[in-house]
Amino acid sequence: MAEALTADQLAQTHLAAFSKGRAWTSAEFTSLLQSPLVFAHGDNRCFALVRVVADEAELLTLATHPDHQRHGLARGLMEDWHRVAQQRGAQHAFLEVAADNSAARRLYDTCAYETVATRPGYYARSDGPDVDALVMRHAFV
């Protein structure tokens, strides 16, 4: 998975993957991709958007199109972007995940992430109460 993606393609995949949440717009992806610290990795089925600053990588978002979920794409992508982040100098990675996103939490657990903090009510839900964000960390070394 290394096909260069446009901001529009990222936004389309993100919208499909986050149809029940707030998907990011093409303009938001364009703005993020203008930074030399940010890279997208993957393809139109599954991608990760990552920022590396000093020795820290932050997974900004990971999206798998619903037509391609449960095929191991996200797991493989995690390994791929971890490698790229390490090449850019990262020694550890952080991410935030909604406490009610059990599929993503299983993926991150499998990738040896550990919960290090909680942000109460971070994710607004239109169909129910706000959901906590779990801040997770992974050491590359």
Side-chain angles (χ1 to χ4, degrees):
M1 280 197 252
E3 164 187 323
L5 292 168
T6 67
D8 287 341
Q9 290 170 316
L10 294 170
Q12 289 170 2
T13 300
H14 205 264
L15 177 62
F18 291 93
S19 61
K20 294 183 181 178
R22 190 189 83 71
W24 295 8
T25 66
S26 181
E28 289 171 311
F29 282 109
T30 297
S31 177
L32 286 164
L33 290 169
Q34 289 174 348
S35 169
L37 304 174
V38 174
F39 67 92
H41 199 74
D43 58 31
N44 63 351
R45 299 170 301 159
C46 180
F47 74 86
L49 190 69
V50 180
R51 177 176 28 226
V52 178
V53 178
D55 67 347
E56 290 184 1
E58 178 186 9
L59 177 61
L60 301 172
T61 192
L62 184 145
T64 304
H65 192 285
D67 293 345
H68 301 284
Q69 291 176 353
R70 307 250 189 273
H71 298 285
L73 295 175
R75 178 70 172 103
L77 181 62
M78 292 292 289
E79 294 171 6
D80 289 347
W81 80 255
H82 280 176
R83 257 191 308 281
V84 174
Q86 288 176 78
Q87 291 168 356
R88 291 179 172 222
Q91 294 180 14
H92 49 269
F94 288 91
L95 60 83
E96 291 177 353
V97 61
D100 64 352
N101 188 339
S102 58
R105 289 179 60 193
R106 278 192 304 275
L107 171 65
Y108 303 140
D109 287 342
T110 301
C111 294
Y113 278 78
E114 63 180 346
T115 301
V116 294
T118 301
R119 292 184 178 188
Y122 185 77
Y123 292 101
R125 297 289 193 249
S126 60
D127 60 348
D130 294 347
V131 175
D132 294 349
L134 304 178
V135 179
M136 302 185 82
R137 182 183 186 276
H138 171 79
F140 293 133
V141 288

